Structures are given as C-alpha cells and as structure tokens.
C-alpha cells in the first residue's frame, strides 16, 4: 500500500512540473527550428510566452518573450493573442477541446507577419 501511495504521489508531482499550457515546435519562414510555449495561467489572465529560434549558425537560440493577454476557445479552435501582435491559432480537429497526448496543427504570427507553422500539445490536459 505504501508503494502504491508513493507511486501516485510521484506521478502527481511530475505532472505539476509541466508548467506550460501550450508547447509548440516547428519551423519558421526562414527554415529555422522554433519552439513556442505559453505558461499556465494561475491567478491573472496575463501569461508569459516564449519564442526560441534556433539558427543553424548559432549554438544558443534567440529568445523573445511575449505577454499573452487573451485566450479564446471556440469549438475546434483555440486563439491566443498578446503583445507585439503575437497570435497563435491552434486547430483542434478532429477534437472539440484539447486532449491529452495529442498534437495539433497551428499557425503562429506577429504584427510583422507570419512566423511559422507548428505542432502544439497541451501538457496540462489529463486523460
């Protein structure tokens, strides 16, 4: 019984370490690898988002921080918008809401243009 309790406790604490609501990977319009993540919102509606661009010539990625101020969900789509015109649109098809373990196609853009096409997952959604 103690082993089962310890196992359940460790599994629940591991899920608490995933602090991102959305995690995305893909390529930008310059064919560089990018990672985009939006932190889990807790007490306010403002969330931090991080864009990492991995250039083939640099070892460290270029990092840009955005503030996500609006999250809207419609049946089959999620929209995240924020500072500098950043917008992430996630297509949840064939699901109506995000499901655990699934990757979804998405599009990331900013006020200066389209950044790239990404595959996103929702690590906080549990089965």
């Amino acid at each position: 019984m103690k082993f089962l309790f310890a196992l359940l406790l460790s599994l629940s604490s591991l899920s608490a370490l995933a602090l991102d609501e959305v995690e995305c990977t893909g390529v930008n319009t310059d064919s560089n690898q990018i990672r985009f993540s939006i932190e889990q919102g807790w007490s306010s509606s403002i969330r931090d988002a991080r864009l990492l661009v991995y250039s083939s010539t640099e070892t460290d990625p270029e990092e840009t921080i955005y503030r996500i101020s609006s999250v809207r969900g419609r049946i089959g789509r999620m929209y995240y918008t924020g500072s500098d015109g950043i917008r992430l649109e996630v297509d949840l098809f064939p699901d109506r809401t995000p499901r655990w373990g699934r990757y979804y196609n998405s599009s990331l853009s900013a006020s200066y243009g389209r950044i790239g096409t990404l595959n996103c997952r929702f690590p906080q959604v549990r089965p």
Side-chain angles (χ1 to χ4, degrees):
M1 185 68 175
K2 288 181 185 179
F3 176 75
L4 181 60
F5 180 71
L7 180 65
L8 289 173
L9 183 62
S10 67
L11 289 177
S12 65
S13 62
L14 287 176
S15 65
L17 294 176
L19 298 176
D20 291 333
E21 179 176 331
V22 181
E23 296 175 345
C24 306
T25 58
V27 294
N28 66 6
T29 54
D30 296 330
S31 298
N32 293 327
Q33 287 286 69
I34 60 174
R35 292 179 190 255
F36 185 73
S37 60
I38 300 173
E39 291 182 356
Q40 180 72 36
W42 299 106
S43 61
S44 72
S45 61
I46 303 293
R47 303 160 192 213
D48 287 333
R50 180 178 316 248
L51 174 65
L52 300 173
V53 179
Y54 295 88
S55 171
S56 59
T57 60
E58 299 176 12
T59 56
D60 293 329
E62 177 185 331
E63 179 180 36
T64 307
I65 304 293
Y66 296 99
R67 304 290 284 202
I68 300 298
S69 57
S70 173
V71 178
R72 291 181 306 148
R74 294 199 176 148
I75 296 174
R77 290 200 182 274
M78 295 290 293
Y79 301 94
Y80 296 87
T81 56
S83 62
D84 296 328
I86 196 75
R87 178 181 169 100
L88 177 68
E89 181 179 336
V90 183
D91 182 9
L92 301 175
F93 182 80
D95 303 320
R96 296 173 66 118
T97 59
R99 292 185 52 199
W100 183 78
R102 300 279 310 254
Y103 282 87
Y104 300 101
N105 293 324
S106 65
S107 176
L108 182 64
S109 60
S111 59
Y112 53 85
R114 185 167 172 262
I115 296 175
T117 302
L118 308 172
N119 286 317
C120 297
R121 69 183 189 102
F122 294 82
Q124 293 297 323
V125 175
R126 296 293 172 221

